Amino acid sequence: IVHREIQRLNVLIGDLLDYANPRRLQLVDFDLGVMVEETLQVARGEQAFAAIHMALAVDRPLPLHADAAKLRQLLWNLLRNAADAAAQGGRHVHVDAHRTFDATTLIVSDDGPGIPADQLARIFDPFFTTKKHGTGLGLATCHAIVAEHGGHIDVDSEPRRGTQMIVTLPRKRRG
């Protein structure tokens, strides 16, 4: 019990620090496709993802000038949420990363129960959660990371049909 509570508190404190005191952007050139593949490989080794089937479709190469560590955190948070939802549904998570002329898009989809319409407007609010052990900071942090990069995050969700989190980042940073 003590070990489990220590882990829970570590997650809570980490989420709170990431949200309340974010570090400055450290922009580098990297391949988002490689980062997505590596993050999924790590997730497949985690117990929380053991019962989830994860698939991906990524453009390669997928060059991006952004903060790789923050985008890895963004993807990890989205994967965690998708895996939690998928565990209540069909147990599938799919990650898609591709580029268009002026943007890079990252989509994390699950086949979970979906998000009720009355909760959609609040999911990015700090401390809003429907999870028994959630902090309510994961999606708030995702929203902040995407905004820092000049992008936007959209949600497509229907009850009993799953959820898509769609992150769009400009290929060239504005300002």
Side-chain angles (χ1 to χ4, degrees), residues 88-100:
Q88 301 172 38
R91 303 202 184 281
H92 292 87
V93 171
H94 188 270
V95 179
D96 178 55
H98 62 274
R99 64 179 165 205
T100 63

Side-chain angles (χ1 to χ4, degrees), residues 11-118:
V11 168
L12 174 63
I13 290 167
D15 286 351
L16 185 58
L17 289 173
D18 288 338
Y19 181 74
N21 191 19
R23 65 169 179 72
R24 294 175 58 105
L25 284 178
Q26 297 175 358
L27 302 175
V28 297
D29 292 319
F30 68 101
D31 188 323
L32 181 66
V34 170
M35 189 271 291
V36 168
E37 290 173 353
E38 291 172 353
T39 304
L40 258 65
Q41 186 175 6
V42 171
R44 287 182 177 120
E46 293 283 327
Q47 182 63 31
F49 297 91
I52 304 301
H53 179 266
M54 291 188 286
L56 74 145
V58 297
D59 287 350
R60 293 289 302 277
L62 191 52
L64 192 62
H65 185 72
D67 188 314
K70 286 192 176 206
L71 291 185
R72 187 178 303 271
Q73 178 185 7
L74 164 86
L75 178 58
W76 188 261
N77 289 355
L78 294 178
L79 284 174
R80 234 180 14 192
N81 283 356
D84 287 348
Q88 301 172 38
R91 303 202 184 281
H92 292 87
V93 171
H94 188 270
V95 179
D96 178 55
H98 62 274
R99 64 179 165 205
T100 63
F101 175 73
D102 61 349
T104 299
T105 304
L106 176 67
I107 303 169
V108 178
S109 307
D110 67 67
D111 58 359
I115 302 169
D118 64 328

